[in-house]
Amino acid sequence: MNIRIATPEDAFAIQNIYRYYVDNTAITFELEVPSVKEFQERITKTLERYPYLVAEEEGEVIAYAYAGIFYDRRAYDWSAEMSVYVQRGIHGKGVGRALYEKMEELLKKQNIVNLFACITHPNAESEAFHAARGYEKKAHFEQCGYKLGKWWDIVWMQKVIASNEGKPEPFQRFTGGF
């Protein structure tokens, strides 16, 4: 498996992975699959500030992960929201774990302190995945999104990856370096 920085050319493969989650699950609250162009724009915009990574196996994108703005205010610069999507049928093989490990390594270089994951509830697999990586459940909100004919809760999980005592080092935008 190879992990690398995503490019806009990966948008079609990323869209194909994401399509299953949009069409068949409440893991994402999007109701329609974004276009390839929209994914290209999302990749480009994310890379202006955070890592956006893909995992490849034999040249095929099999998973992706990215960090995003936790909340759009400067005081939140040291916090990021995490997302990971693995191609259907290959869960449990360490791909998501490897992507998260690389993401954390890169985010630490940016002086990120807090990582957050917003997870549709119930989703025991995702909650266990995050808990195994050191995330702790911090909030549970009921009936936040309506999809697939029912209301869904969300939980927020948090992981602290750097000291949160005193003034943090300045946030550094992602520059693409591994």
Side-chain angles (χ1 to χ4, degrees), residues 42-122:
R42 289 179 184 189
I43 292 165
T44 300
K45 182 173 176 149
T46 298
L47 288 171
E48 290 173 0
R49 188 170 175 93
Y50 298 107
Y52 199 125
L53 305 177
V54 294
E56 293 178 313
E57 199 166 75
E58 298 179 14
E60 177 188 349
V61 175
I62 59 170
Y64 65 98
Y66 59 92
I69 293 173
F70 174 64
Y71 195 75
D72 194 15
R73 299 287 185 271
R74 289 282 319 277
Y76 292 105
D77 276 355
W78 297 271
S79 296
E81 183 177 352
M82 300 284 286
S83 294
V84 63
Y85 291 91
V86 177
Q87 184 176 304
R88 183 173 175 232
I90 63 169
H91 290 90
K93 296 182 180 178
V95 179
R97 176 187 46 78
L99 281 166
Y100 260 37
E101 286 174 1
K102 189 60 167 178
M103 288 291 293
E104 285 186 26
E105 175 187 321
L106 296 170
L107 292 167
K108 284 178 183 178
K109 292 178 182 177
Q110 293 182 253
N111 298 321
I112 296 293
V113 174
N114 298 294
L115 301 179
F116 293 92
C118 181
I119 301 167
T120 304
H121 182 82

